[in-house]
Amino acid sequence: MSLDDRKLEVLRAIVEDYVETQEPVGSKALVDRHKLGVSPATVRNDMAVLEEEGYIRQPHTSAGRVPTDLGYRLFVDRLTRIKPLSPAERRAIERFMVGAVDLDDVVHRTVRLLAQLTRQVAVVQYPSLSRSSVRHLELVPISTTRLMLVMITDTGRVEQRLVEMPGPVHDGDVWDLRRRVNEKLSGQRLADTPPLVQRLVDECDDPERRVTMACLASVLLETLVERSEERLALAGTANLTRGGVLDFQGTLRPVLEALEEEVILLKLIGDLEPRTTRVRIGDENEIDNLRSASVVSSGYGPGTTIVGGLGVLGPTRMDYPGTIATVRAVARYVGDLLAQN
Amino acid sequence: MSLDDRKLEVLRAIVEDYVETQEPVGSKALVDRHKLGVSPATVRNDMAVLEEEGYIRQPHTSAGRVPTDLGYRLFVDRLTRIKPLSPAERRAIERFMVGAVDLDDVVHRTVRLLAQLTRQVAVVQYPSLSRSSVRHLELVPISTTRLMLVMITDTGRVEQRLVEMPGPVHDGDVWDLRRRVNEKLSGQRLADTPPLVQRLVDECDDPERRVTMACLASVLLETLVERSEERLALAGTANLTRGGVLDFQGTLRPVLEALEEEVILLKLIGDLEPRTTRVRIGDENEIDNLRSASVVSSGYGPGTTIVGGLGVLGPTRMDYPGTIATVRAVARYVGDLLAQN
DNA sequence: ACTGGCACTCTATTAGCGGGAGTGCCAGAG
DNA sequence: CTCTGGCACTCCCGCTAATAGAGTGCCAGT
């Protein structure tokens, strides 16, 4: 059985009211608050159908109805017109972001901005290394057998690593290393570098040089692909406490735990498609600790490319249209900002 | 009136029991659990005195007693023998920290370690810039009018900033700038640099050079002293939920809010004295949001110098002896680690 | 100076009892 | 076929009252 227009309208009304009041909504209250043009009894029949189809449920017999994850899903997919941001919000974004001096600054401002606008927990992923290109590699001698390797990417990220050399290296050697490495790797996408690094080693004729280069290469590979591939910023944890402890079925515990795991967060805001805002509701997150949470996320980057993700996390009972609009707007803004550099 | 030994013993017993059970402790239970050698009635008299002096209080008439901030203070100052770490804990520290590859890594591991060992919220401050020295300054051309300034300190911190130049600079200019800047600033403590930077500008004869240098200098000053002077890492927020919502009088809200403010956190673990572990109990933090929280903190650094602070935050009802021991041990360990570089 | 006894206070728990909101179903009207 | 009003039923929530229990303060006695 498919749902006719009125039933959808009823579902929308239920979602909207429930999101606002945080209380199960009954048929009487519904017709009072929304001009549905039918009687409570009719609405009750519709509700019975909606419940049968799994879009809403009753906490107890003879209580009002509450949307299920499936109900929110339908609401988001078919009943939501994204509201444009208010001028005030647009201005807030401007004001907040203007004057950011470097990438760290941009990310931190963004995450706070998101948390503030949506009044929820915000997550911003730093531009992913694997999707960036090498702009410059710098080698700085720290001691005779130690070098500091600094990598700067086109997205503005700066990564550093200490390199322990097998034997003493002279200034001239450092020079040479720096030149070779940059010649080979500058401008390359990080994802493409591993074979190039290997080639760097192979091209060394002098056996001593070769050892040195091999040592550098191994650290290089680690830095480029394996370690700290991703970094994250988080803000707005305090927003979890809004609405008492009612959301998140009693304890914040599991949610806070999940938020401490980088791996989990990356899963939440990773794998995004260009120019779309993704919504994951409750179970769809496939993470036990976040059964009662929803995540709205979006990729960002210059133009239509994606260099990283950002998003917000809140109770399944959240203002989806507003949140989606905000996340989308912020993602776009950050993308444009990055494009300017 | 001063407190005799038995009264102090009673206070200690109250604190220990309350910390363990989280429930007001009565006279009967006290004599049962601790061999005080006197009757409940006697203990009651002692309690009356302790209450009068402000060390304990009754949540309601005819309930057990609960320590006040003052009571904890006395407990920490006079009744605590710091327990040495268990071998298991020592091993945990070893195992956790071994293989840290750079400063970021060290800080992140440390903060997680602290959170895990104390089962509380942990904060670690990155080595403070103002207490570090410049090891090397690097200038990397990004475009004709843009340079990336990278500063490496002796504590391993790496700070970067984009410098917008007034006009195009050539490779030769960059060379010259790099040399001058490093000659003047390498090895200097950051706190001492501002006048030196000024001198750098004054020493430029060529007016064009001077403009360029002035531009670099202003960014340099910002990087060196003003901005992002301090960085922090945080972990273990989920531990706030242990003990139900009983600690922190109902809501985590204010605590979570406070934890999001870098300024507040810095105040909590700042201004430390060498080789001591500081305990701030409840109101002593002088932050409204943290009325029911205590902070145990310690400075760390190579030898007896301090380059940064670290600490943990938990309910006033916490295991002080254990926490103090752990914080101290971790601080020392991190200090030694830093000394090795 | 300490102890046992005793009366008192206050809390937390439990049970019982409407009130009320909301439902499902049904028969009747359009 | 769809919608509506009516009605009986269910269950939650909040209120009150009663009870048990823990703990206290005080006092008289050792």
Side-chain angles (χ1 to χ4, degrees):
Chain A
M1 153 152 201
S2 124
L3 302 173
D4 60 35
D5 283 357
R6 197 190 52 220
K7 293 195 181 60
L8 291 177
E9 203 51 43
V10 169
L11 177 59
R12 150 185 279 139
I14 291 174
V15 171
E16 284 175 357
D17 277 20
Y18 182 67
V19 164
E20 188 175 329
T21 66
Q22 174 82 320
E23 270 163 17
V25 10
S27 54
K28 179 105 185 308
L30 256 198
V31 296
D32 286 353
R33 296 175 44 111
H34 302 75
K35 27 192 183 317
L36 295 172
V38 291
S39 78
T42 310
V43 172
R44 280 204 289 281
N45 288 329
D46 291 350
M47 283 172 150
V49 175
L50 286 169
E51 179 156 23
E52 207 163 316
E53 306 273 323
Y55 297 113
I56 56 179
R57 74 191 166 78
Q58 292 178 280
H60 332 276
T61 328
S62 95
R65 299 311 214 288
V66 166
T68 60
D69 287 359
L70 201 63
Y72 285 122
R73 169 52 58 201
L74 185 59
F75 175 80
V76 168
D77 286 348
R78 300 189 42 197
L79 304 171
T80 296
R81 283 277 154 269
I82 293 164
K83 10 180 178 176
L85 287 206
S86 72
E89 284 173 308
R90 298 217 160 274
R91 256 181 289 125
I93 296 181
E94 279 307 327
R95 201 165 354 109
F96 215 94
M97 298 300 294
V98 82
V101 296
D102 68 5
L103 183 67
D104 255 334
D105 205 9
V106 169
V107 170
H108 279 114
R109 285 175 189 232
T110 305
V111 76
R112 298 195 84 131
L113 174 66
L114 261 184
Q116 203 165 302
L117 287 179
T118 62
R119 308 191 50 135
Q120 245 127 25
V121 181
V123 191
V124 175
Q125 176 192 14
Y126 277 68
S128 167
L129 284 186
S130 58
R131 282 188 282 242
S132 307
S133 308
V134 178
R135 177 170 274 158
H136 184 81
L137 289 163
E138 188 57 46
L139 290 171
V140 181
I142 297 293
S143 70
T144 51
T145 64
R146 274 185 182 153
L147 293 179
M148 172 82 79
L149 167 68
V150 180
M151 172 178 66
I152 304 172
T153 73
D154 62 342
T155 46
R157 271 184 74 169
V158 178
E159 292 289 311
Q160 76 272 15
R161 254 317 271 293
L162 211 59
V163 189
E164 205 79 47
M165 288 306 190
V169 287
H170 307 92
D171 278 3
D173 300 337
V174 175
W175 266 91
D176 184 61
L177 283 173
R178 184 187 298 134
R179 188 182 50 75
R180 289 170 183 243
V181 167
N182 273 296
E183 265 174 16
K184 184 71 79 184
L185 301 177
S186 282
Q188 300 293 332
R189 299 194 35 174
L190 264 77
D192 304 334
T193 51
L196 297 174
V197 172
Q198 185 52 46
R199 197 132 15 116
L200 268 172
V201 179
D202 295 342
E203 282 170 6
C204 286
D205 305 325
D206 180 325
E208 196 175 325
R209 279 265 165 86
R210 195 191 178 93
V211 174
T212 313
M213 182 60 94
C215 181
L216 178 58
S218 78
V219 173
L220 211 44
L221 282 178
E222 259 182 64
T223 309
L224 296 176
V225 295
E226 292 165 23
R227 186 188 132 265
S228 84
E229 227 272 272
E230 309 296 353
R231 287 187 63 192
L232 291 170
L234 192 70
T237 348
N239 289 330
L240 289 175
T241 60
R242 294 191 316 130
V245 198
L246 298 160
D247 309 318
F248 308 115
Q249 56 207 39
T251 43
L252 295 185
R253 177 117 225 214
V255 182
L256 286 172
E257 275 171 359
L259 291 178
E260 296 223 336
E261 297 294 335
E262 292 217 339
V263 194
I264 292 184
L265 292 179
L266 282 171
K267 211 184 264 178
L268 292 182
I269 62 166
D271 290 331
L272 291 154
E273 281 157 35
R275 290 276 162 205
T276 53
T277 306
R278 183 179 63 196
V279 181
R280 286 222 186 113
I281 298 162
D283 273 338
E284 297 171 6
N285 289 309
E286 293 183 349
I287 289 165
D288 275 6
N289 285 7
L290 299 178
R291 277 279 143 74
S292 45
S294 287
V295 176
V296 177
S297 55
S298 178
Y300 71 87
T304 57
T305 59
I306 292 186
V307 300
L310 54 77
V312 310
L313 178 151
T316 45
R317 163 206 152 284
M318 72 157 68
D319 169 22
Y320 290 98
T323 308
I324 292 172
T326 307
V327 168
R328 170 179 300 188
V330 171
R332 193 164 297 194
Y333 193 96
V334 175
D336 292 350
L337 209 61
L338 252 52
Q340 285 169 31
N341 295 357
Chain B
M1 154 152 200
S2 124
L3 303 174
D4 61 34
D5 284 356
R6 198 191 51 220
K7 292 194 183 58
L8 291 177
E9 204 51 44
V10 169
L11 178 59
R12 150 185 277 141
I14 291 175
V15 171
E16 285 175 357
D17 277 19
Y18 182 67
V19 164
E20 186 175 330
T21 65
Q22 172 84 318
E23 268 162 19
V25 10
S27 53
K28 179 105 182 311
L30 258 199
V31 296
D32 286 354
R33 296 176 43 110
H34 303 75
K35 28 193 183 312
L36 295 172
V38 291
S39 78
T42 310
V43 171
R44 280 204 287 280
N45 289 328
D46 291 349
M47 282 173 150
V49 176
L50 285 169
E51 177 155 25
E52 207 164 317
E53 307 272 324
Y55 297 113
I56 55 179
R57 76 193 163 77
Q58 293 178 279
H60 332 278
T61 328
S62 92
R65 299 312 213 289
V66 167
T68 61
D69 288 359
L70 202 64
Y72 286 122
R73 170 52 58 200
L74 185 58
F75 175 79
V76 169
D77 287 347
R78 300 187 45 197
L79 304 173
T80 294
R81 283 277 155 271
I82 293 165
K83 10 179 178 175
L85 288 205
S86 72
E89 284 172 308
R90 299 217 160 273
R91 256 181 289 125
I93 297 180
E94 273 317 319
R95 199 164 356 106
F96 215 94
M97 299 298 295
V98 81
V101 296
D102 67 5
L103 183 67
D104 255 334
D105 204 9
V106 169
V107 170
H108 279 112
R109 284 173 189 234
T110 306
V111 77
R112 297 194 83 130
L113 173 67
L114 260 183
Q116 203 165 303
L117 286 178
T118 63
R119 307 192 49 136
Q120 246 128 24
V121 181
V123 191
V124 176
Q125 177 192 13
Y126 277 69
S128 168
L129 284 185
S130 58
R131 282 188 281 243
S132 308
S133 308
V134 178
R135 177 170 272 158
H136 184 81
L137 289 163
E138 188 56 46
L139 289 169
V140 181
I142 298 293
S143 70
T144 51
T145 64
R146 274 184 181 152
L147 293 180
M148 172 82 77
L149 167 68
V150 180
M151 174 178 66
I152 303 171
T153 73
D154 62 341
T155 46
R157 270 184 74 170
V158 177
E159 292 290 310
Q160 76 272 14
R161 255 316 271 292
L162 211 58
V163 190
E164 205 77 49
M165 288 306 191
V169 286
H170 305 93
D171 277 4
D173 300 336
V174 175
W175 266 90
D176 185 60
L177 284 173
R178 184 186 298 133
R179 188 183 48 77
R180 289 173 184 242
V181 168
N182 273 297
E183 265 174 18
K184 187 70 83 183
L185 300 178
S186 281
Q188 299 294 332
R189 297 196 34 175
L190 263 77
D192 304 335
T193 52
L196 297 175
V197 172
Q198 184 54 46
R199 194 125 27 106
L200 266 172
V201 178
D202 296 341
E203 282 170 5
C204 287
D205 306 325
D206 181 324
E208 197 174 325
R209 280 264 164 87
R210 196 190 176 95
V211 175
T212 313
M213 183 60 96
C215 182
L216 178 57
S218 78
V219 173
L220 213 42
L221 281 178
E222 261 182 64
T223 309
L224 296 176
V225 293
E226 292 166 24
R227 186 187 134 267
S228 84
E229 228 271 273
E230 309 296 354
R231 287 187 64 193
L232 292 170
L234 191 71
T237 347
N239 289 329
L240 289 174
T241 59
R242 294 191 317 128
V245 198
L246 298 159
D247 309 319
F248 308 115
Q249 58 207 35
T251 44
L252 295 185
R253 177 122 226 206
V255 182
L256 285 172
E257 274 171 1
L259 290 179
E260 295 224 336
E261 297 294 334
E262 291 216 340
V263 195
I264 293 184
L265 292 179
L266 283 170
K267 210 183 266 178
L268 292 181
I269 62 166
D271 290 331
L272 292 153
E273 282 156 35
R275 291 276 161 205
T276 54
T277 305
R278 183 178 65 196
V279 181
R280 284 222 187 111
I281 297 163
D283 272 338
E284 296 171 6
N285 288 308
E286 292 183 349
I287 289 167
D288 274 5
N289 285 7
L290 300 178
R291 278 278 144 73
S292 45
S294 286
V295 177
V296 178
S297 55
S298 177
Y300 70 88
T304 58
T305 59
I306 292 186
V307 299
L310 54 77
V312 309
L313 179 150
T316 45
R317 161 205 153 286
M318 72 157 68
D319 168 21
Y320 290 98
T323 308
I324 293 172
T326 307
V327 168
R328 169 180 301 186
V330 170
R332 193 164 298 192
Y333 192 95
V334 175
D336 293 348
L337 209 61
L338 252 53
Q340 285 170 30
N341 296 355

Coordinates of all heavy atoms in Angstrom, one line a residue, chain A residues 6 37-39 41-42 44-45 60-62, chain D residues 2-7 9-13:
Chain A
R6 N -2.2 12.9 2.0 CA -2.5 13.4 3.3 C -1.7 12.6 4.4 O -1.3 13.2 5.3 CB -4.0 13.2 3.6 CG -4.5 14.0 4.8 CD -5.9 13.6 5.2 NE -6.0 12.2 5.4 CZ -7.1 11.5 5.0 NH1 -8.1 12.2 4.3 NH2 -7.1 10.2 5.2
G37 N -7.7 20.0 7.8 CA -9.0 19.9 7.2 C -9.7 18.6 7.4 O -10.7 18.3 6.7
V38 N -9.3 17.8 8.3 CA -10.0 16.6 8.6 C -10.1 16.4 10.1 O -9.5 17.2 10.8 CB -9.3 15.3 8.0 CG1 -9.4 15.3 6.5 CG2 -7.9 15.3 8.5
S39 N -10.9 15.5 10.5 CA -11.1 15.3 11.9 C -10.0 14.4 12.6 O -9.3 13.7 11.9 CB -12.4 14.6 12.2 OG -12.3 13.2 11.9
A41 N -10.3 11.7 14.1 CA -10.5 10.3 13.9 C -9.9 9.9 12.6 O -9.2 8.8 12.5 CB -12.0 10.0 13.8
T42 N -10.0 10.7 11.5 CA -9.4 10.4 10.3 C -7.9 10.3 10.4 O -7.2 9.4 9.9 CB -9.7 11.5 9.2 OG1 -11.1 11.7 9.3 CG2 -9.3 11.1 7.9
R44 N -6.3 9.6 13.0 CA -6.0 8.4 13.7 C -5.9 7.2 12.7 O -5.0 6.4 12.9 CB -7.0 8.1 14.8 CG -6.8 8.9 16.0 CD -7.5 8.2 17.2 NE -8.9 8.2 17.2 CZ -9.6 9.3 17.5 NH1 -9.0 10.4 17.9 NH2 -10.9 9.2 17.5
N45 N -6.8 7.1 11.8 CA -6.7 6.0 10.8 C -5.4 6.1 10.0 O -4.7 5.1 9.9 CB -7.9 6.1 9.9 CG -9.2 5.7 10.6 OD1 -9.1 4.8 11.5 ND2 -10.3 6.3 10.2
H60 N 4.1 3.9 24.3 CA 3.2 3.0 25.1 C 1.9 2.9 24.4 O 1.5 3.9 23.7 CB 3.0 3.4 26.5 CG 4.2 4.2 27.0 ND1 5.3 3.7 27.5 CD2 4.3 5.6 27.0 CE1 6.1 4.6 27.9 NE2 5.6 5.8 27.6
T61 N 1.1 1.9 24.7 CA -0.2 1.9 24.2 C -0.9 3.2 24.7 O -0.7 3.6 25.8 CB -1.0 0.7 24.7 OG1 -0.1 -0.4 24.9 CG2 -2.2 0.3 23.8
S62 N -1.7 3.8 23.8 CA -2.4 5.0 24.2 C -1.5 6.1 24.7 O -1.7 6.7 25.7 CB -3.4 4.7 25.3 OG -3.0 4.9 26.6
Chain D
dT2 P -11.3 4.5 0.1 OP1 -10.0 4.8 -0.5 OP2 -11.4 3.4 1.1 O5' -11.8 5.8 0.8 C5' -12.3 6.9 0.0 C4' -12.7 8.0 0.9 O4' -14.1 7.7 1.4 C3' -11.9 8.2 2.1 O3' -11.6 9.6 2.3 C2' -12.7 7.7 3.3 C1' -14.1 7.9 2.8 N1 -15.2 7.0 3.3 C2 -16.3 7.5 3.8 O2 -16.6 8.7 3.8 N3 -17.2 6.5 4.2 C4 -17.0 5.1 4.2 O4 -17.9 4.4 4.7 C5 -15.8 4.7 3.7 C7 -15.5 3.2 3.7 C6 -14.9 5.6 3.3
dC3 P -10.7 10.1 3.4 OP1 -9.9 11.2 2.8 OP2 -10.0 9.0 4.0 O5' -11.7 10.8 4.5 C5' -12.6 11.8 4.0 C4' -13.7 11.9 5.0 O4' -14.3 10.6 5.2 C3' -13.2 12.3 6.5 O3' -13.8 13.5 6.8 C2' -13.6 11.1 7.3 C1' -14.8 10.5 6.5 N1 -15.0 9.1 6.8 C2 -16.3 8.7 7.3 O2 -17.1 9.6 7.6 N3 -16.5 7.4 7.6 C4 -15.6 6.5 7.3 N4 -15.9 5.2 7.5 C5 -14.3 6.8 6.7 C6 -14.1 8.1 6.5
dT4 P -13.3 14.2 8.1 OP1 -13.4 15.7 7.9 OP2 -12.1 13.6 8.6 O5' -14.5 13.8 9.2 C5' -15.8 14.2 8.9 C4' -16.7 13.6 10.0 O4' -16.7 12.2 9.8 C3' -16.3 13.9 11.4 O3' -17.3 14.6 12.0 C2' -16.0 12.5 12.0 C1' -16.8 11.6 11.1 N1 -16.2 10.2 11.0 C2 -17.0 9.2 11.4 O2 -18.1 9.3 11.9 N3 -16.4 8.0 11.3 C4 -15.1 7.7 10.8 O4 -14.7 6.6 10.7 C5 -14.4 8.8 10.4 C7 -13.0 8.7 9.8 C6 -14.9 10.1 10.5
dG5 P -16.9 15.6 13.3 OP1 -17.5 16.9 13.0 OP2 -15.5 15.4 13.6 O5' -17.8 14.9 14.4 C5' -19.2 14.6 14.1 C4' -19.6 13.5 15.1 O4' -19.0 12.2 14.7 C3' -19.2 13.8 16.6 O3' -20.4 13.7 17.4 C2' -18.2 12.7 16.9 C1' -18.6 11.6 15.9 N9 -17.4 10.8 15.5 C8 -16.2 11.2 15.1 N7 -15.4 10.2 14.7 C5 -16.1 9.1 14.9 C6 -15.8 7.7 14.7 O6 -14.7 7.3 14.3 N1 -16.8 6.9 15.0 C2 -18.0 7.3 15.4 N2 -18.9 6.3 15.7 N3 -18.4 8.5 15.7 C4 -17.4 9.4 15.4
dG6 P -20.3 13.7 18.9 OP1 -21.6 14.3 19.4 OP2 -19.0 14.3 19.3 O5' -20.3 12.2 19.3 C5' -21.3 11.3 18.7 C4' -21.1 9.9 19.3 O4' -20.0 9.2 18.7 C3' -20.9 9.9 20.8 O3' -21.6 8.9 21.4 C2' -19.4 9.7 20.9 C1' -19.1 8.7 19.7 N9 -17.8 8.8 19.2 C8 -17.0 9.9 18.9 N7 -15.9 9.7 18.4 C5 -15.8 8.3 18.3 C6 -14.8 7.4 17.9 O6 -13.7 7.7 17.4 N1 -15.2 6.1 17.9 C2 -16.4 5.7 18.4 N2 -16.6 4.4 18.4 N3 -17.4 6.4 18.9 C4 -17.0 7.7 18.8
dC7 P -21.8 8.8 23.0 OP1 -23.2 8.5 23.3 OP2 -21.1 10.0 23.6 O5' -20.9 7.6 23.4 C5' -21.1 6.4 22.6 C4' -20.0 5.4 23.0 O4' -18.8 5.7 22.3 C3' -19.6 5.5 24.5 O3' -19.5 4.2 25.0 C2' -18.2 6.2 24.4 C1' -17.7 5.6 23.1 N1 -16.6 6.4 22.5 C2 -15.5 5.7 21.9 O2 -15.5 4.5 21.9 N3 -14.5 6.5 21.4 C4 -14.5 7.8 21.5 N4 -13.5 8.5 20.9 C5 -15.6 8.5 22.1 C6 -16.6 7.8 22.6
dC9 P -15.4 -1.0 28.4 OP1 -15.8 -2.4 28.4 OP2 -15.7 -0.1 29.5 O5' -13.9 -0.9 28.1 C5' -13.4 -1.1 26.7 C4' -12.0 -0.8 26.7 O4' -11.8 0.6 26.3 C3' -11.2 -1.0 27.9 O3' -10.0 -1.9 27.7 C2' -10.8 0.4 28.4 C1' -10.7 1.1 27.1 N1 -11.0 2.6 27.3 C2 -10.1 3.5 26.7 O2 -9.2 3.1 26.0 N3 -10.4 4.9 26.9 C4 -11.4 5.3 27.6 N4 -11.6 6.6 27.7 C5 -12.3 4.3 28.2 C6 -12.1 3.0 28.0
dT10 P -9.2 -2.4 28.9 OP1 -9.0 -3.8 28.7 OP2 -9.7 -1.9 30.2 O5' -7.8 -1.7 28.6 C5' -7.4 -1.4 27.2 C4' -6.2 -0.5 27.2 O4' -6.5 0.9 27.3 C3' -5.3 -0.8 28.4 O3' -3.9 -0.9 27.9 C2' -5.5 0.4 29.3 C1' -5.8 1.5 28.3 N1 -6.6 2.6 28.8 C2 -6.3 3.9 28.5 O2 -5.3 4.2 27.9 N3 -7.2 4.8 29.0 C4 -8.3 4.6 29.8 O4 -9.0 5.5 30.2 C5 -8.6 3.2 30.1 C7 -9.8 2.9 30.9 C6 -7.7 2.3 29.6
dC11 P -2.8 -1.7 28.7 OP1 -2.1 -2.4 27.7 OP2 -3.4 -2.2 29.9 O5' -1.9 -0.4 29.1 C5' -1.5 0.5 28.1 C4' -1.2 1.8 28.8 O4' -2.4 2.4 29.2 C3' -0.3 1.7 30.0 O3' 0.9 2.3 29.7 C2' -1.1 2.4 31.1 C1' -2.1 3.3 30.3 N1 -3.4 3.6 31.0 C2 -3.8 4.9 30.9 O2 -3.1 5.8 30.3 N3 -5.0 5.2 31.6 C4 -5.7 4.3 32.2 N4 -6.8 4.6 32.8 C5 -5.2 2.9 32.2 C6 -4.1 2.6 31.6
dC12 P 2.1 2.3 30.8 OP1 3.3 1.9 30.1 OP2 1.7 1.7 32.0 O5' 2.3 3.9 31.0 C5' 2.3 4.8 29.9 C4' 2.2 6.2 30.3 O4' 0.8 6.4 30.8 C3' 3.1 6.6 31.4 O3' 3.6 7.9 31.1 C2' 2.3 6.6 32.6 C1' 0.9 7.0 32.1 N1 -0.3 6.5 32.8 C2 -1.3 7.4 33.3 O2 -1.1 8.6 33.0 N3 -2.3 6.9 34.0 C4 -2.4 5.6 34.2 N4 -3.5 5.2 34.9 C5 -1.4 4.7 33.8 C6 -0.4 5.2 33.1
dC13 P 4.9 8.5 31.9 OP1 5.8 9.1 30.9 OP2 5.4 7.4 32.8 O5' 4.2 9.6 32.7 C5' 3.2 10.4 32.1 C4' 2.6 11.3 33.3 O4' 1.5 10.6 33.9 C3' 3.6 11.6 34.4 O3' 3.5 13.0 34.6 C2' 3.1 10.8 35.6 C1' 1.6 10.6 35.3 N1 1.1 9.3 35.8 C2 -0.2 9.3 36.4 O2 -0.8 10.4 36.5 N3 -0.7 8.2 36.9 C4 0.0 7.0 36.8 N4 -0.6 5.9 37.2 C5 1.3 7.0 36.1 C6 1.8 8.2 35.7

